[in-house]
Every structure is written in structure tokens, then in C-alpha cells.
Amino acid sequence: FDALQAHKEQGIIETASVDGVDMMLRVMPGESGDNEIGVEFTDTRPGATNVPPEVLLRLTATTMDMGTQQVEATSVDGVRYTARGSYFPMVGPWELEIIIRRPGFNDVRKTFALDIT
């Protein structure tokens, strides 16, 4: 029970490094229904921090043909980008692709495999 409770409180946390960008994804609580999706990243590409990013999330259920929905994550502090909503209407395996887009730079993309409970 303690491990399950800790998982529910922590949600899903994934990290990756792609093309000079270190990112952390957090999905709270990581269950079907309402979730907060948070993305934090450090972009080490020269000059990148001078250009405000657009952070897009693409969500796709991998076992059901439900299409792909895209949402833009927003930030109040320029560090943590979030989106909140019922993006996972059913349990099972999902793919969440993060796209960090800055004018004048190549898009940085990373797809995470999530198990929504």
C-alpha cells in the first residue's frame, strides 16, 4: 500500500536529454481523467534562451484509434510549462510527445511511453 500511495502522490516522472536540451516530464496523478502535465527543461544551445519557446504536447493512445490531440503548455515563470485537463480519457498505454519549438532553431522532440492507470 505504501508504494502505491507514494506512486499516486508522485505521479509519473520521466527525464531525457535530446540535442542539448535536458527535460523532465511530470504527469500528476498519472491516472485516467484530469491530470496536470508539467515540462521543465534546460536548453544549452547557444542563443536559445534569448528566444521564447513554444512547448507543444501531443497525446496518442497506442491501443485505441482515438487520434492525436495537441495542446500547448503555458508558463508563468519561463521555467515550468504546464497543461491541465482530461487528456487521458482511458487507462492503458499512451504516447506523449514533447515538442520544444523556438524560431531560428530546430524543433526538439521526445516521445515518452506512459502507462496510465
Side-chain angles (χ1 to χ4, degrees):
F1 173 77
D2 292 341
L4 181 61
Q5 188 62 33
H7 172 75
K8 285 181 181 277
E9 291 172 7
Q10 176 175 316
I12 297 170
I13 298 175
E14 298 282 344
T15 59
S17 185
V18 180
D19 298 335
V21 178
D22 296 322
M23 61 182 80
M24 182 176 75
L25 166 69
R26 182 181 295 241
V27 181
M28 291 283 297
E31 301 171 355
S32 68
D34 191 50
N35 281 271
E36 180 177 276
I37 301 169
V39 178
E40 294 179 35
F41 59 91
T42 304
D43 194 333
T44 61
R45 297 175 295 174
T49 56
N50 299 328
V51 183
E54 179 180 26
V55 179
L56 302 174
L57 308 172
R58 290 188 181 154
L59 302 105
T60 309
T62 58
T63 57
M64 295 281 293
D65 185 10
M66 300 171 61
T68 297
Q69 65 178 321
Q70 178 173 294
V71 62
E72 183 174 354
T74 58
S75 179
V76 294
D77 60 8
V79 174
R80 182 173 164 79
Y81 291 78
T82 60
R84 183 171 195 94
S86 295
Y87 303 117
F88 305 106
M90 58 184 291
V91 300
W94 285 78
E95 287 186 347
L96 190 158
E97 181 183 22
I98 298 172
I99 302 165
I100 300 169
R101 183 168 286 162
R102 294 184 193 265
F105 291 86
N106 291 335
D107 288 357
V108 174
R109 298 171 178 257
K110 173 64 180 167
T111 301
F112 295 92
L114 306 179
D115 184 23
I116 300 300
T117 59

